[in-house]
Amino acid sequence: MSQDVQPCKDLGIQCEERLLQLPSFNLSRSAEGWGPGHNLRMRRRKIVIAGGFFLSFFLATLLNLLCVPGFDHNHQLQDRGTPVPLGQSWQDNEISMDLLKQLQDRYQEVIRYREHQVPVSATERLLRPLERRLMDLAQQSSSEHNLKWENPKRSSSDQDILFQSHPSSKIDLSLQPPLLGCQDISKGTDLRYLGSGYTKAVYKLMLNDTVSVALKSVDFGGHDIQNCLKRYKTLEDCYRLASFKIVKEMILLQRLQHPNILQLYGYCYQDSNDISDTLTTIIELGSPLEMIQLLQSSWEDRFRICLSLVRLLHYLAHSPLGSITLLDFRPRQFVIVDGELKVTDLDDASMEETPCTCSEDCFMEFPARNFTLQCSVEGKCQNMNEKRNLYNAYRFFFTYLLPHSAPSSLRPLLDVIVNATGELRWGIDETAAQFEKVLYLYKSGLYLSNVTHVPKAEYRQLKDVSIVDEDYRCWPSYHHNGCLLSVFDINEAIDVCESHSQCKAFIWTNQTTWTGKYTCVLLSM
């Protein structure tokens, strides 16, 4: 027997009856009955049987891999009693728990901003002329605006159930019916693409041939959507994830009412790109903030931009939602409307206070320097949201716009403001008070020297004189083709003219700037 089994072992085949469960053979026959040819046939037979066994094992394993039903995540959720999302993409694809968690986190964030209690103002905010015109437009199409909107008193638990059941359906979280809606967009003319960012695209639309508004919607070709598609492969759910940023911004625009925050005029849900109920917001239109052009403008206009920003930050520090910080604080997040600076992007705003156990937890890092704030007894970093906004205002705006070409008597005070904000020695309250002080000195003319000035030359008033060509240019100027400056009175106009070597005369106009100062044109004659 040892002679018969040994060759099989040499071929690497286990021939024992115990392992392969092959039919037993009677090996008690005398050795004479076995010839050399018979031994070879037996070896071949054993090899074929063993090979057939391994082949059948391989095929059975392959069939199991290809034909056995895969893991049904929805079925597992049902067995556990968890609500199953009903969106089409969630039914057709295996659920990504990471994407679902992101959707739920963004939804909960919107709910926090929406449900936060806001004290009712004693007096209503006065409507501006543009708002009245928009209300007139809204009255013409009021039937379109009778859309269903959620009751602000609905509890967050009810909203959670709604979200778990329909994560891809429309969830109208607006606090009030829209002033403008889908019908106004459809009737609009001269639609123009203005630009896009990481998530949103912005368009300009003319309404009733009189009022231009901005439209904001999710940019399907933007980085936010494209990065999500590369990871999760589902357009509808990636859109829902990105659209919560617009919903959050819409809620904040309704909650925060301030002259330096863009106004929300309405919104519209409509089908787009094979996705139902895509959201478009209708907001106030502004001009992009161009820092290079702003540096070439007059100091008075640059001071107005900084003053607008300080007033905005003061409001955000004491807003009805608490202290709010702008996490994505860059010049491109602001626009100019009638000379005033207004914030346009609020999707990255946060009212969350940084928790701490010690001062080391309150570390703020910036490219140029870092700060460590105090940890309050409540376990929150003291005024971190406010200080972050203030230092960003310093490094993006104050440093470039405040000191240059300012009236000489105001420069010491402006230098103090720039240094104090750059070192965060002041909070927003003190900073706002100092800005208002500068404004008062400038508007009242108290910044002018009290010393009686004796003109270097004699000035005479000429009437009915025509100017052939305004060839004299200066910087900064309200007009790029001439030298148009603002002055408090005639005496300052004379001082300004004598400070310019080319100035031989000036034209006094009846036009005034936003501070009430008159404008004059310097001439070389």
Side-chain angles (χ1 to χ4, degrees), residues 71-86 91 95:
F71 176 72
D72 189 350
H73 183 74
N74 286 348
H75 180 70
Q76 295 292 328
L77 289 178
Q78 288 176 338
D79 291 342
R80 298 176 187 175
T82 305
V84 180
L86 301 181
Q91 294 177 346
I95 293 179

Side-chain angles (χ1 to χ4, degrees), residues 83-257:
V84 180
L86 301 181
Q88 183 64 33
S89 61
W90 294 84
Q91 294 177 346
D92 297 342
N93 302 284
E94 183 176 344
I95 293 179
S96 169
M97 297 306 297
D98 181 42
L99 179 58
L100 176 61
K101 184 179 185 303
Q102 292 185 55
L103 283 166
Q104 290 175 333
D105 290 343
R106 292 229 180 138
Y107 174 80
Q108 292 297 335
E109 182 185 21
V110 171
I111 290 298
R112 288 198 303 271
Y113 285 91
R114 181 181 183 273
E115 299 296 332
H116 195 93
Q117 294 298 324
V118 180
V120 180
S121 176
T123 58
E124 295 182 356
R125 184 167 59 94
L126 296 178
L127 292 177
R128 304 179 193 179
L130 178 59
E131 290 176 296
R132 295 192 185 97
R133 292 164 64 188
L134 290 171
M135 291 189 68
D136 294 338
L137 288 174
Q139 292 175 359
Q140 298 174 9
S141 56
S142 58
S143 59
E144 174 66 22
H145 302 148
N146 293 329
L147 304 176
K148 288 186 177 181
W149 57 290
E150 300 295 334
N151 188 346
K153 297 182 179 180
R154 172 175 288 186
S155 65
S156 59
S157 60
D158 294 339
Q159 295 284 5
D160 295 343
I161 297 175
L162 178 62
F163 174 72
Q164 291 176 352
S165 301
H166 304 275
S168 297
S169 63
K170 178 180 73 174
I171 304 176
D172 192 351
L173 298 174
S174 176
L175 296 170
Q176 58 192 32
L179 184 63
L180 301 177
C182 298
Q183 184 175 350
D184 300 286
I185 294 179
S186 62
K187 292 181 179 179
T189 58
D190 194 21
L191 179 66
R192 297 182 183 181
Y193 170 78
L194 296 181
S196 59
Y198 190 82
T199 303
K200 303 183 291 285
V202 183
Y203 301 85
K204 176 183 177 182
L205 182 68
M206 178 70 70
L207 300 181
N208 203 28
D209 296 328
T210 57
V211 180
S212 294
V213 297
L215 305 180
K216 277 189 178 184
S217 59
V218 172
D219 184 6
F220 284 90
H223 295 286
D224 207 349
I225 289 287
Q226 294 303 313
N227 291 341
C228 180
L229 284 176
K230 291 178 182 178
R231 184 173 183 181
Y232 301 112
K233 313 297 183 184
T234 165
L235 178 60
E236 184 174 3
D237 299 317
C238 286
Y239 169 81
R240 299 302 168 194
L241 184 64
S243 67
F244 275 123
K245 290 187 176 182
I246 297 185
V247 176
K248 174 188 173 182
E249 183 175 85
M250 180 175 67
I251 296 298
L252 286 175
L253 290 177
Q254 291 178 329
R255 288 290 194 188
L256 305 176
Q257 299 292 321

Side-chain angles (χ1 to χ4, degrees), residues 299 303 402-403 406-417 437-443 446-448 517:
W299 177 84
F303 175 74
L402 269 185
S408 57
S409 60
L410 292 177
R411 288 175 188 171
L413 179 55
L414 295 174
D415 289 339
V416 171
I417 293 176
K437 179 181 178 180
V438 174
L439 177 62
Y440 172 74
L441 294 175
Y442 188 72
K443 291 180 65 174
L446 295 177
Y447 70 97
L448 297 174
K517 298 184 66 174

